[in-house]
Amino acid sequence: MKDVNIVAYSLTLSYTIYADVKQYTSLKNLLKFKMTNDIMMNIERISNKLNELLIKNYDAEKGYKKAIENVDNTRLTTFFTECSEDRSKFASQIKTQILNLGETPKESGSFTGTMHRNWMDFKTIFTSNDQKAILDEVVRGEKESLEDYNDFISETEIPENIKTVLISHRNTIKNTIMKVPQLEEAVA
């Protein structure tokens, strides 16, 4: 009888260990799935925010090109050309970051950006000092961009390599804003 009890106990213990291993494996797989799902959701969220910045950079680049068409001052033309090139570079760098996340970058600007450029055209036509009006719009747009970059950079869950790129963009935007008062004096 003792041998039967030992065999029964052994089978019970064996089943218990097997069940615990199986439960552990299931729990481990569940946690792995949850972590993978959380990571994927975070990647998608970061990619969406990067795509928002990408579209805003497309819009800014087009806005600067539009501004070049509306000024006759060489310093402003040079300034707007540099800003347009910066925004093109920003867009390229953001595209690379989105692709590195395994996501798809957007390919064009927004309706809001198109409306802003049309507003710049309208304002330029009806403002006596059109170059000053264009610079005012540049500052307004750059301050909005700066706010968008600051909001995104302040998030704690962005990878360091992306944060570094965005900080570089933000610093360039700050410098752009700081240059505008000197240009306003030149066109006054």
Side-chain angles (χ1 to χ4, degrees), residues 116-131:
H116 184 253
R117 286 188 298 280
N118 289 338
W119 171 246
M120 281 179 61
D121 286 345
F122 178 78
K123 195 170 183 178
T124 300
I125 292 169
F126 293 103
T127 305
S128 59
N129 187 357
D130 60 352
Q131 295 178 53

Side-chain angles (χ1 to χ4, degrees), residues 49 53 56 87 139-155 169-170 173-174 177:
K49 289 193 176 221
L53 286 179
K56 289 178 182 186
R87 290 314 186 101
V139 170
R140 189 180 72 72
E142 290 299 271
K143 284 182 178 178
E144 284 180 17
S145 289
L146 189 59
E147 189 176 310
D148 292 336
Y149 272 88
N150 282 333
D151 288 347
F152 194 19
I153 290 168
S154 68
E155 292 188 20
H169 294 182
R170 180 192 64 191
I173 293 168
K174 280 183 181 178
I177 294 170

Side-chain angles (χ1 to χ4, degrees), residues 43-91:
I43 287 172
E44 186 176 334
R45 186 185 57 74
I46 290 169
S47 174
N48 288 340
K49 289 193 176 221
L50 284 171
N51 265 313
E52 289 173 18
L53 286 179
L54 178 61
I55 288 169
K56 289 178 182 186
N57 278 293
Y58 289 148
D59 290 339
E61 178 186 4
K62 291 174 188 173
Y64 281 119
K65 288 179 179 179
K66 193 67 156 169
I68 292 167
E69 296 171 9
N70 291 309
V71 297
D72 56 5
N73 181 300
T74 308
R75 281 185 68 188
L76 289 180
T77 302
T78 301
F79 174 72
F80 293 145
T81 301
E82 289 171 0
C83 290
S84 175
E85 290 169 356
D86 284 342
R87 290 314 186 101
S88 176
K89 181 179 78 173
F90 293 175

